[in-house]
Amino acid sequence: MKVLYLNGPNLNLLGTREPEIYGKTTLGDIEKSVRDKAGQMDVEIEFRQSNAESEIVGWIHSSKNTCSVIVINAGALTHTSLAIRDAIAACGLPAIEIHLSNTHRREPFRHFSYLSGVAAGIIAGFGKQSYLLALDAAVSVHANRK
Ligand code: DQA
């Protein structure tokens, strides 16, 4: 099985961006940990980041025939993007919404997510671990679908 990890705006700045909230781990470090764990589980990974909503929508469209599950940290687009929500619904793959921070403990504008209503589940608040937990969730969601 292949899992597509999508990362939205500003996540390329992890490591230096508000480290008191997001930690000091870079997105490259997170990708490496995900790939290491996936290798042990015999899962293939595609890992992408973009600051552009349209690019993320395009990746969701093209994942339809190549991937089994989407794991998405859409960053701020979580709270604004009906287009990403519709793309997930349209492609039909199970999606797992993830966040480094617990968005529900933060500002009220982070409490609403356009994606949650089309997600198989949500993992938030565990920092880098959110990405690794999502891999277990992806395998489980895929197994239950077959
Ligand atoms: C985030 C939470 C969002 O509210 C924020 O805009 C981000 C990161 C997280 O991983 O905690 O960019 O998705």
Side-chain angles (χ1 to χ4, degrees), residues 7-11 14 17-18 21-22 72-79 97-103 106-107 109-112 123-125 127 130-131:
N7 294 279
N10 301 308
L11 293 168
L14 286 180
R17 173 195 182 197
E18 298 180 273
I21 297 174
Y22 299 116
I72 181 163
N73 182 354
L77 292 172
T78 305
H79 318 296
E97 175 184 346
I98 64 167
H99 300 284
L100 294 150
S101 64
N102 177 353
T103 48
R106 299 183 62 196
E107 304 94 325
F109 57 80
R110 294 185 203 276
H111 296 180
F112 173 75
I123 299 169
S130 292
Y131 283 75

Side-chain angles (χ1 to χ4, degrees), residues 2 11 19-20 27 33-34 40 45-47 50 64-65 70 74 76 90 96-97 111-112 114 135 140 142:
K2 184 169 175 182
L11 293 168
E20 65 288 358
L27 193 60
S33 300
V34 168
Q40 290 161 21
I45 297 293
E46 195 174 321
F47 200 97
S50 178
K64 188 176 175 171
N65 299 313
I70 297 171
I96 299 165
E97 175 184 346
H111 296 180
F112 173 75
Y114 272 102
L135 192 52
S140 157
H142 182 61

